[in-house]
Amino acid sequence: MGTATEAPGSEAGTAATPASAARVALVGVHGFGTHHLRNLERLQAGGSVELVAVADPQPPAPGAVPPPAASYPGLDRLLEDTPDLDLIIVATPIQTHAPLALAALATDAELYLEKPPVASLADFNRLCAAASASGRGVQIGFQSLGSHALKAIEELLAAGTIGTLEGISATGRWVRDRSYYKRSRWAGKRSINGVDVVDGVATNPLAHAVATALRIAGARTTADVASVETELYRANDIESDDTSVIRIRTAAGLPITCALTICASESVEPYLTLQGSAGTAVFHYTEDRLTIETESGRTEKTYGRDDLTENLLAHRAHGVPLTSSLVDSGAFMLVLEAVRTAPLPAPIDPAHVHWEGEGDAAHAVVVGIEDALERAGRQHATFSELGLPWAAAAPVAFELPAS
């Protein structure tokens, strides 16, 4: 799920790369890796980076990687042949993040790791320890956290524009068809051969909704979260959840409710609602669009966005703080761990699911899901607490690890 706003770019030229250009390797050139390829071409054209090598067991399409970057089947071979890297970007399947990130941190390079960081809290703790020992920066690919709208939200809350912040809801309704779950062997899996994957609606396709809500609430690290409850469902014939409510309470007592599905009738841009005592603010994070409503009226503004790769390069060169650091993804990792350790998602009774389309283009639609998501977010309630006829599960409280 890519939400990065790309700056206008141009085709990479043939001029010599400046000596100051950062030497970059990209691991994973398919899927979201194609976004990184385009972004690196833009940065290389501007002279700030040199893409020296890529790694992927599936070779890149002819012409997809700008010359003279070398191509390797895996990171180990790439590192053997490619010294003095400044930055390694990992955009690979979730279950490969931990070993690849640890290998990258054994070099002198900074690390850009796509979301979710890893597939378990244990792996997160190992990665944090390795990052601390290495002294390298680790940026996590929650691109929405680069939005300038977040600063505007911080300022409006400080000014009391919408009164006292009483809660945050995240609403996401997307469509994913049968082909989505056939695109790779890990799609829709909780684990593969005992290796955690955790490819659920809240941990992968709509993970930005969760991460951005946590950031606005001031919940960055594991210490910033007081409780997590999950209620997970699936309409598709998969292992993981595709329709869920995640209810979080921050250490400061603020409720966050994430009501998410990829079984909607149509895809709409996901949004966060800040519920204030004197108004509301709605943030469409994929569009960087912020709408504020109070008694004095309604305003709307679209903001710019900082590129996370450029931010990481500035961190390496000048010590600029990371926008989406590994440590600051700790709160999100508690949510992922709650999903990972929760009971299997409850199947939604087929009587409450209808299918639109044919063959691999067919997608499941949970009847009435749009209204259910709105009510869940507004009332900070789970589907079972709303009394929905298909909600046969109950909220499950996650036992927070001892600090």
Side-chain angles (χ1 to χ4, degrees):
M1 164 187 135
T3 60
T5 300
E6 297 179 45
S10 60
E11 294 299 318
T14 57
T17 303
S20 60
R23 289 168 53 82
V24 179
L26 172 62
V27 188
V29 298
H30 303 285
F32 199 66
T34 60
H35 159 77
H36 285 288
L37 276 174
R38 292 193 301 270
N39 197 39
L40 289 170
E41 287 180 1
R42 175 182 69 87
L43 295 173
Q44 184 160 295
S48 60
V49 306
E50 178 189 6
L51 179 60
V52 296
V54 301
D56 198 304
Q58 181 183 345
V65 176
S71 181
Y72 296 88
L75 179 59
D76 51 352
R77 283 284 310 280
L78 184 155
L79 294 178
E80 287 175 8
D81 292 354
T82 317
D84 303 323
L85 287 170
D86 297 305
L87 171 60
I88 297 173
I89 300 174
V90 174
T92 58
I94 302 166
Q95 70 274 15
T96 66
H97 284 192
L100 291 173
L102 291 170
L105 287 173
T107 73
D108 290 332
E110 312 296 307
L111 172 63
Y112 184 126
L113 181 63
E114 265 309 324
K115 62 81 187 163
V118 285
S120 72
L121 191 59
D123 278 344
F124 174 74
N125 291 333
R126 278 192 286 271
L127 191 55
C128 285
S132 178
S134 74
R136 303 302 170 198
V138 182
Q139 184 94 288
I140 304 303
F142 288 115
Q143 292 84 17
S144 58
L145 300 186
S147 178
H148 300 169
L150 294 184
K151 180 65 174 176
I153 289 171
E154 183 181 323
E155 292 171 351
L156 78 86
L157 291 175
T161 303
I162 61 169
T164 301
L165 182 60
E166 298 176 337
I168 299 174
S169 65
T171 308
R173 53 181 197 263
W174 276 353
V175 171
R176 292 296 182 266
D177 59 22
R178 285 194 174 109
S179 67
Y180 176 79
Y181 294 108
K182 294 183 178 181
R183 76 192 194 282
S184 64
R185 71 188 190 98
W186 57 270
K189 297 293 179 62
R190 284 167 67 101
S191 65
I192 297 176
N193 298 326
V195 177
D196 290 314
V197 177
V198 202
D199 182 34
V201 63
T203 55
N204 192 15
L206 285 164
H208 283 78
V210 180
T212 310
L214 288 166
R215 175 61 62 90
I216 292 172
R220 297 177 180 236
T221 71
T222 54
D224 295 328
V225 175
S227 66
V228 182
E229 295 173 278
T230 60
E231 193 171 292
L232 313 179
Y233 296 88
R234 60 172 182 83
N236 288 276
D237 185 17
I238 55 175
E239 291 180 5
S240 58
D241 56 307
D242 57 33
T243 303
S244 297
V245 170
I246 313 293
R247 187 164 55 192
I248 306 157
R249 188 167 292 275
T250 70
L254 188 72
I256 305 170
T257 301
C258 306
L260 312 168
T261 190
I262 46 179
C263 300
S265 57
E266 62 178 356
S267 288
V268 300
E269 295 301 323
Y271 54 92
L272 310 178
T273 304
L274 283 66
Q275 302 152 341
S277 60
T280 60
V282 178
F283 178 37
H284 287 81
Y285 63 82
T286 62
E287 301 175 324
D288 301 306
R289 178 164 55 91
L290 179 62
T291 304
I292 303 168
E293 289 196 38
T294 65
E295 285 187 354
S296 60
R298 179 180 186 274
T299 62
E300 183 173 291
K301 183 177 179 179
T302 300
Y303 292 81
R305 182 182 290 199
D306 291 334
D307 178 76
L308 296 189
T309 301
E310 292 179 90
N311 171 247
L312 181 53
L313 292 171
H315 172 80
R316 180 178 178 86
H318 308 295
V320 172
L322 290 173
T323 297
S324 179
S325 72
L326 175 66
V327 171
D328 283 351
S329 66
F332 174 84
M333 283 303 305
L334 284 181
V335 174
L336 183 145
E337 187 74 358
V339 172
R340 186 185 75 86
T341 59
L344 289 171
I348 297 175
D349 187 333
H352 299 282
V353 179
H354 73 263
W355 288 83
E356 296 184 1
E358 301 293 334
D360 286 348
H363 67 272
V365 179
V366 178
V367 176
I369 191 60
E370 287 79 8
D371 178 65
L373 296 175
E374 289 287 341
R375 290 174 59 200
R378 187 169 57 250
Q379 299 178 34
H380 292 284
T382 67
F383 296 137
S384 65
E385 290 168 347
L386 293 174
L388 300 180
W390 49 263
V396 176
F398 172 61
E399 185 175 348
L400 294 174
S403 56

